[in-house]
Amino acid sequence: VPLCVCSFFSLQFLDISDNPDILSLPVEMGRLSNLNKLTLRGLKDLSDPPRNMQRDARDCIRYLNCKLRSARKFYRMKLMLVGKQDRGKTTLVARLQGLETGQNQSTVGVDVSEWSYAGGFNRRKYQFSIWDFGGQEEYYATHQCFLSERSMYLLLWNVKHGKEGIRELKP
């Protein structure tokens, strides 16, 4: 694939089928974020990106973009605990950190703490920055200032409240 194709940032469709000399796609194609359809029919020797990624143009571009940026695995994540007041968010943080839970106190605004977890298949150590948001309604307006896409959200509610507990989660 000629590298000049990789500079057509508005490109939405690309068909490079039946070109047996193409063995891999250039990582620079990772810049084609608008590409919606990529046809690779007849490229049986294409090894990069892997076969499971070749079916979907978006997956293919994400894969190539990661390679382009020399992406490496990152084992740190923001864990956001959200929910109404008195649902156990602060208690959960204490338990995760191996601390005793004493008298429940309402969180004022947001509490940020750290937690490490070493487990799973490879026993890798994962670092979490835990954001424990106060569940009182007066804090809801400020919460949006801290929310981000690259975070894991954990929504807590009281199952004893049944369907009403689910309904109160909706804005």
Side-chain angles (χ1 to χ4, degrees), residues 20-92:
D21 294 331
I22 297 177
L23 304 177
S24 65
L25 299 180
V27 293
E28 290 81 5
M29 282 182 65
R31 295 187 186 115
L32 301 176
S33 59
N34 291 315
L35 193 66
N36 294 317
K37 178 125 175 87
L38 176 62
T39 308
L40 304 170
R41 188 179 50 256
L43 302 180
K44 61 180 183 250
D45 294 328
L46 184 65
S47 60
D48 195 29
R51 287 248 180 256
N52 62 332
M53 302 258 177
Q54 294 176 17
R55 292 183 216 113
D56 184 326
R58 308 299 295 160
D59 287 346
C60 213
I61 296 306
R62 275 192 291 271
Y63 170 82
L64 293 169
N65 187 273
C66 284
K67 283 188 74 172
L68 180 66
R69 293 182 296 131
S70 309
R72 60 184 175 84
K73 294 180 180 176
F74 197 62
Y75 299 98
R76 181 170 180 75
M77 177 169 273
K78 194 187 238 185
L79 175 61
M80 315 286 259
L81 301 182
V82 293
K84 295 273 186 182
Q85 119 183 31
D86 294 325
R87 298 304 184 259
K89 298 180 295 295
T90 304
T91 301
L92 176 62

